[in-house]
Amino acid sequence: MKKSTHSKKLATNLLSEKRTFDCPRPTLTEKPSVPRILVRAWASPIQVLLLSIVIGFANPLFAQSKSSLSSYKEKSTIEGVVELTEPQGKPVALQGILVKLTLESPVSGPLTALTDSVGHFKFEHLPVGRYHLEVHSEGFIPFDRELVVGRDEMRVEEIRLQIEKVVQKVEVRDRADLTQMVGNAPRSTTFDSRQILRLPLAQEKFKEALPLVPGVVRTHDGKLHFKGESENQGMLLVNSAETVDPVTGNFSIPVPVDDVQEVKVSKGPYDAQYGDFTGGLTTVSLKPPPGQWKYGVMDFLPGLRGKSGHLVGISDETPRMFLGGPILKNRINFSEALTYEVRKTTVRGLPWPKDETKTQGFSSLTSFQVILSPRHLLSLHFNGFSQRNQFDDINSLVSQAASSDLGDRGFSVGANDAYQFNSGALLTTIFHFTRFDSNAHGQGPEDMLVTPNGWGGNFFNTWDRSANEYEGLSIFQFPRKEWDGVHRLKVGVDFNHRSYRGLEVTHPIKVLREVGSLAERINFLDAGLLGSRDSEVAEFVQDHWMLNDHLAVDLGGRLLNQSIGRSVAFSPRAGLVYSPGVRYKTMIRAGVGLFYGPVPLLASDFNDNPARILTYFDEGGVPLGPAVTLVSANLRVLPDGEIALAGRGIHPSPRNSTWNIELDRQISSSTVLSVSYLYSRTRDLFIEAPYIGALGTRSFLGLTPTGGSHYHEFEATLCYKPGERDELNISYVHSRARGSLNSLDGINVPFEQPVIRPNVTSELPSDIPNRLLTWGVLHFPWKLTASPVFDVHTGFPYSNFDVLQQYVGEPNGARFPTFLSLDLKVYRTFKLPLPFLRNRKIRLGLYSLNLTNHSNPYDVYSDIASQHFGDFAGFRHRVNGFVIDVVE
């Protein structure tokens, strides 16, 4: 059982618009908006040169013919103040609040203004028409007012914001509003920290919520897969900066959940700004430091573990802390989020007490926000982290002694700068540095044993890596222009440098028969001194073009140069949205794009890996001929099918093409149906496989860029919102994922496989042809709130092997039983009559993971020599707990 204590923090979202994405309402108002002034800082000489060129060409453009709205260019003005309404006392002026003014016109985009030190804002030279005046800021009740402006009219509006008190509302969002830009199509799945904290998830981390996205799958080994490809081939951006392990590409850098404002997942982002991936894109927006002092201490009570109706110890302790507020009022704001974690997770199928994985670590995120002026913002971030996972890869067939420990530690420093010109143009820049140290080792020096019933001995591979990554990015967004429609044009340059140094040490591996005799021995030559570096420069241009009130398109391209990849590569992107009719109840979306990923650093120094020496034995223990030495080498495939050494030259980086088409239809005022089809194909993936030469010739453990994959996905999602605080999402996904099974990351990440088989093309580990996913937040009488997650899908594929761990039958031709899980959290909120907690409430509830207690095995005896061949193991049983949350 688990206890947790939460405190809802209400942060003033300075210079940032809080967007609420409910069920999509098909209305074609694809109007460009000024991006958040919360992105990037510093500029390299290249960026300065590019900016000079851009501004040089932009000046004549700024002076071109006036907007079509200029025919109304009169003296109409809307101005006012934004204030905080206190329960007692005078209103308090709020600085740095984003105010949005939108004209109900098919060719007009929203205008934005930032309040100054006295809370004042102003919009001038407004045409006649009907407007929406909006303020959406974190921690406040949203403000929305409709105005009608006449000719030469001067209006004064007072905006009084109130602190949001309703904390029962959980914004669980599977759909971005249909008014989002085409560049985000296919539509992005969006959710925030409240969803992560209130849905029944195994851990309160944003990564735990990603499998709720249709098309995102978490396999048995814990890896995430986006449109069939692993997370290593995807990208994670935190406040627009790359936040992955520079060596493997894993999403290994933690972010405290209390600093997460919004998470978006896109399987096909057609904005040319984004690159360095062939899989999906996940973006995390951080909360800006609040303008008023806030604090909270959450989850300070440990979770308790029960067994056979008795308490047997502590399962986890994950206290969290948040502190933030103004250091210099209206100028410098500060926040600190800290999470400490000690967690024990039981693995079914192993004998107690040696059946646990143990995690211990912390993550700390310190942020400063400097308001240089109402148009100029500087943000600084420091993220420090350390985590140790003991017995990380155990399962019912891998004991603790045969498992490996995994450790990560490091820090990142980022500086984000944004400046908005009087013309409406926006310059955003970023500098980001990451240091990432990682290591893995077994439990001792004994030889590793691979048997028909699982692993024994000690894990064979030990490594230690230190990696650095530098990133600089600058984007210039032009003011909105009207040439045959409305244009929002942006250009930018992106620089990235990655490097690492490491050491790899390996021990012998023994492959045993069912009777315990030796069938194969694998030895290794020397330790591997590893290291590599890569630099990449990319320039991009992107235009969001709204032709009329029914049709909008995105057009863009990204030019790429890599030092160990493609010397020149161009990635065109295009997308459109079209709404027929006059009521905009139907929306058609489509897009196509080309994406290039980086060459993995593990590929560029592959030649330095230790050689493998294979010796085979008969049942009597006599060697079957001489040993075979597999030398690690980069290879290339000749036109006649032969192979040749490729050396350390430039390699082709992975390339992906993705296209989709989507139909969204508003069925009623509370129901929207979305139907889509997506196809993705990746080429030039790096494949690791043995190449056995003829007698007397050399043999290799070769790395070739000859792999590939393709993914088909049909999705139908029904979003039902019966009330303001209720939402239910039902998604059905039919998909197919096929590709090369010996991808470099599949063989080496996070741990190297002991036996490496020849490469084949078959169903990928993430292939689940049919999946039904349902989740939401519902309110019932007696003030009860229920958050269910129901997931049922085809079982994952697996392969059968012989005693030498080679394929028997079709690889990945067998499947686990159908997976079915119902997770549920039910709670109610009460007032606290205590004087020192007068502004707080207590939330009491229960949760259950796998409520139906469905077996859901994770392991299988797949060796045909095992006496248990075909039996499933590692069943996941029901886990119950209770919740005690203290909220505002």
Side-chain angles (χ1 to χ4, degrees):
M1 294 184 295
K2 177 183 178 182
K3 293 182 180 179
S4 62
T5 302
H6 303 287
S7 176
K8 181 180 184 292
K9 68 180 172 106
L10 299 173
T12 302
N13 190 0
L14 291 175
L15 307 187
S16 177
E17 174 191 3
K18 178 180 180 294
R19 297 171 290 177
T20 300
F21 298 107
D22 298 316
C23 292
R25 306 302 174 108
T27 304
L28 185 65
T29 54
E30 300 278 348
K31 303 169 185 172
S33 60
V34 176
R36 300 183 182 184
I37 309 182
L38 281 176
V39 263
R40 311 184 166 172
W42 309 119
S44 68
I46 296 177
Q47 296 167 342
V48 174
L49 177 60
L50 175 65
L51 177 61
S52 301
I53 297 174
V54 167
I55 295 178
F57 281 103
N59 285 334
L61 298 180
F62 296 160
Q64 286 190 9
S65 60
K66 300 177 182 178
S67 166
S68 60
L69 298 177
S70 62
S71 58
Y72 299 104
K73 188 174 182 181
E74 303 172 24
K75 299 179 180 179
S76 298
T77 301
I78 296 177
E79 62 179 314
V81 293
V82 178
E83 298 174 324
L84 171 64
T85 302
E86 296 282 6
Q88 298 176 349
K90 296 182 179 180
V92 178
L94 297 176
Q95 180 184 9
I97 297 296
L98 184 71
V99 183
K100 185 169 74 171
L101 182 69
T102 306
L103 173 64
E104 290 186 353
S105 168
V107 297
S108 175
L111 303 173
T112 59
L114 300 171
T115 57
D116 58 20
S117 59
V118 294
H120 180 262
F121 68 91
K122 188 174 185 179
F123 299 98
E124 299 180 286
H125 305 298
L126 299 176
V128 174
R130 185 182 299 273
Y131 290 84
H132 284 282
L133 185 66
E134 302 172 74
V135 174
H136 294 270
S137 189
E138 177 72 19
F140 297 102
I141 298 176
F143 175 89
D144 192 344
R145 179 179 296 169
E146 187 176 278
L147 307 173
V148 177
V149 176
R151 185 165 300 186
D152 298 332
E153 183 176 359
M154 301 182 68
R155 298 183 63 109
V156 177
E157 300 290 335
E158 290 186 355
I159 299 178
R160 298 287 178 88
L161 299 182
Q162 298 179 359
I163 294 178
E164 188 176 20
K165 295 292 185 181
V166 181
V167 298
Q168 296 95 332
K169 180 178 178 181
V170 181
E171 294 181 78
V172 183
R173 301 167 300 194
D174 175 58
R175 291 288 177 268
D177 194 325
L178 290 179
T179 61
Q180 65 181 313
M181 291 182 62
V182 185
N184 293 328
R187 63 202 180 283
S188 302
T189 298
T190 306
F191 49 91
D192 60 23
S193 60
R194 288 182 292 180
Q195 172 187 353
I196 301 170
L197 295 174
R198 298 177 186 180
L199 283 175
L201 302 176
Q203 299 179 32
E204 293 169 342
K205 300 178 180 180
F206 79 88
K207 285 184 63 175
E208 292 295 317
L210 297 184
L212 298 178
V213 178
V216 178
V217 175
R218 186 190 298 278
T219 51
H220 291 163
D221 55 4
K223 292 183 180 180
L224 293 170
H225 295 256
F226 303 80
K227 62 180 183 183
E229 300 191 52
S230 66
E231 66 183 66
N232 315 83
Q233 299 172 43
M235 177 53 65
L236 172 65
L237 302 179
V238 177
N239 267 17
S240 301
E242 292 189 10
T243 310
V244 297
D245 179 350
V247 179
T248 67
N250 265 0
F251 297 0
S252 301
I253 300 178
V255 178
V257 66
D258 297 296
D259 244 354
V260 172
Q261 177 170 282
E262 186 175 81
V263 180
K264 289 185 179 181
V265 180
S266 179
K267 291 170 284 187
Y270 300 127
D271 192 326
Q273 171 183 337
Y274 303 115
D276 269 1
F277 61 90
T278 58
L281 173 67
T282 303
T283 60
V284 176
S285 299
L286 300 178
K287 294 179 180 178
Q292 298 180 10
W293 281 103
K294 305 290 180 181
Y295 71 92
V297 179
M298 293 73 67
D299 274 356
F300 56 85
L301 296 179
L304 303 179
R305 170 176 296 173
K307 188 176 181 66
S308 301
H310 303 281
L311 293 177
V312 296
I314 295 176
S315 62
D316 59 73
E317 188 168 4
T318 56
R320 310 195 315 272
M321 181 273 290
F322 173 83
L323 174 67
I327 296 178
L328 183 61
K329 189 172 180 60
N330 299 326
R331 285 295 180 185
I332 302 177
N333 298 329
F334 157 84
S335 69
E336 167 67 28
L338 176 65
T339 298
Y340 181 76
E341 178 182 23
V342 176
R343 189 183 303 275
K344 300 177 182 179
T345 304
T346 300
V347 175
R348 305 287 181 176
L350 293 176
W352 183 85
K354 296 184 178 181
D355 60 347
E356 295 178 337
T357 62
K358 301 177 182 179
T359 299
Q360 182 175 359
F362 76 92
S363 60
S364 170
L365 183 60
T366 306
S367 301
F368 294 91
Q369 187 179 75
V370 184
I371 305 173
L372 301 174
S373 74
R375 295 182 176 272
H376 195 183
L377 179 69
L378 173 65
S379 300
L380 304 172
H381 305 279
F382 179 86
N383 184 12
F385 56 91
S386 177
Q387 181 167 294
R388 164 60 60 183
N389 298 323
Q390 191 175 12
F391 316 124
D392 187 70
D393 57 339
I394 64 171
N395 58 46
S396 58
L397 307 183
V398 179
S399 65
Q400 285 186 348
S403 68
S404 182
D405 293 355
L406 179 65
D408 301 324
R409 65 181 183 274
F411 66 91
S412 63
V413 180
N416 300 18
D417 183 82
Y419 181 77
Q420 187 175 21
F421 297 88
N422 292 332
S423 63
L426 182 69
L427 174 65
T428 57
T429 55
I430 180 174
F431 172 78
H432 193 257
F433 170 75
T434 299
R435 175 61 181 259
F436 191 89
D437 296 335
S438 58
N439 62 84
H441 61 80
Q443 309 305 319
E446 296 182 9
D447 293 350
M448 182 175 185
L449 306 179
V450 178
T451 75
N453 293 319
W455 292 356
N458 297 143
F459 193 74
F460 74 102
N461 185 244
T462 297
W463 49 260
D464 198 313
R465 303 172 186 146
S466 294
N468 297 320
E469 181 173 11
Y470 301 84
E471 183 182 9
L473 176 63
S474 182
I475 301 175
F476 184 81
Q477 180 163 316
F478 292 85
R480 181 170 75 77
K481 291 297 178 181
E482 297 183 18
W483 309 314
D484 297 323
V486 177
H487 292 263
R488 178 70 70 178
L489 179 68
K490 63 180 177 181
V491 297
V493 59
D494 189 0
F495 171 78
N496 186 285
H497 176 78
R498 301 171 296 140
S499 64
Y500 93 102
R501 291 291 180 184
L503 173 67
E504 180 177 0
V505 179
T506 50
H507 300 292
I509 302 170
K510 294 180 180 178
V511 180
L512 305 181
R513 292 185 173 86
E514 64 277 15
V515 294
S517 60
L518 183 63
E520 179 185 3
R521 184 175 64 229
I522 305 174
N523 291 330
F524 297 86
L525 288 178
D526 304 324
L529 292 173
L530 307 176
S532 182
R533 62 184 62 233
D534 175 42
S535 296
E536 178 180 298
V537 178
E539 299 87 17
F540 61 87
V541 58
Q542 182 76 29
D543 183 27
H544 176 64
W545 180 17
M546 185 171 179
L547 289 84
N548 52 51
D549 59 346
H550 290 276
L551 178 64
V553 299
D554 265 6
L555 298 171
R558 184 180 180 91
L559 186 64
L560 175 68
N561 173 267
Q562 297 171 319
S563 62
I564 59 172
R566 299 178 186 267
S567 56
V568 177
F570 180 67
S571 305
R573 317 274 175 85
L576 68 85
V577 60
Y578 172 68
S579 180
V582 295
R583 296 190 177 182
Y584 310 116
K585 290 190 174 183
T586 300
M587 188 78 68
I588 299 172
R589 296 177 180 273
V592 61
L594 188 63
F595 304 86
Y596 290 94
V599 173
L601 293 183
L602 292 178
S604 60
D605 67 343
F606 186 80
N607 289 359
D608 297 327
N609 287 320
R612 291 185 169 222
I613 303 175
L614 313 180
T615 306
Y616 300 95
F617 298 85
D618 62 17
E619 295 182 357
V622 179
L624 295 172
V628 177
T629 300
L630 299 180
V631 178
S632 299
N634 284 287
L635 304 177
R636 57 190 178 95
V637 180
L638 302 177
D640 59 0
E642 296 294 325
I643 60 173
L645 293 175
R648 298 177 179 269
I650 295 178
H651 308 282
S653 49
R655 178 182 58 177
N656 171 268
S657 58
T658 297
W659 66 269
N660 81 289
I661 186 168
E662 175 184 329
L663 173 67
D664 300 309
R665 173 68 180 179
Q666 182 179 352
I667 300 176
S668 68
S669 60
S670 59
T671 308
V672 172
L673 175 65
S674 300
V675 180
S676 65
Y677 175 80
L678 180 143
Y679 175 73
S680 172
R681 182 172 183 178
T682 302
R683 299 177 176 88
D684 301 333
L685 285 175
F686 285 90
I687 300 301
E688 181 178 351
Y691 293 85
I692 307 299
L695 186 63
T697 62
R698 300 178 66 185
S699 298
F700 299 97
L701 181 61
L703 188 71
T704 59
T706 57
S709 66
H710 62 267
Y711 177 78
H712 302 261
E713 177 188 283
F714 169 80
E715 177 194 343
T717 294
L718 185 71
C719 181
Y720 175 59
K721 189 174 175 62
E724 180 183 357
R725 298 182 298 158
D726 299 278
E727 184 171 0
L728 183 65
N729 299 274
I730 304 174
S731 298
Y732 168 73
V733 178
H734 178 72
S735 62
R736 188 184 189 192
R738 284 181 59 87
S740 304
L741 297 187
N742 282 36
S743 64
L744 182 65
D745 59 273
I747 298 293
N748 291 277
V749 179
F751 307 110
E752 184 176 350
Q753 296 299 307
V755 177
I756 302 176
R757 308 171 187 92
N759 179 57
V760 295
T761 297
S762 185
E763 276 69 28
L764 293 172
S766 61
D767 179 65
I768 49 174
N770 297 286
R771 185 187 189 192
L772 179 65
L773 177 65
T774 302
W775 49 275
V777 176
L778 303 172
H779 292 80
F780 295 95
W782 303 294
K783 298 182 179 180
L784 291 177
T785 301
S787 302
V789 174
F790 178 71
D791 188 4
V792 56
H793 61 72
T794 308
F796 289 107
Y798 71 89
S799 302
N800 292 321
F801 308 104
D802 61 18
V803 70
L804 295 177
Q805 301 299 302
Q806 302 302 308
Y807 291 118
V808 174
E810 181 183 358
N812 278 350
R815 287 191 178 272
F816 284 86
T818 298
F819 177 93
L820 186 149
S821 177
L822 172 62
D823 303 333
L824 180 65
K825 180 185 287 187
V826 180
Y827 58 85
R828 181 179 176 181
T829 304
F830 303 87
K831 290 184 178 180
L832 287 175
L834 303 176
F836 58 90
L837 293 175
R838 71 180 73 181
N839 295 325
R840 305 274 176 159
K841 297 181 180 180
I842 186 170
R843 180 184 295 123
L844 299 178
L846 301 172
Y847 73 87
S848 180
L849 306 180
N850 193 17
L851 178 63
T852 62
N853 206 27
H854 197 264
S855 60
N856 295 331
Y858 273 33
D859 307 310
V860 60
Y861 290 91
S862 57
D863 193 312
I864 61 174
S866 171
Q867 66 270 31
H868 304 294
F869 174 67
D871 292 345
F872 294 101
F875 300 97
R876 298 301 191 263
H877 298 301
R878 179 173 52 237
V879 176
N880 299 321
F882 61 92
V883 179
I884 302 178
D885 294 348
V886 178
V887 298
E888 292 192 37

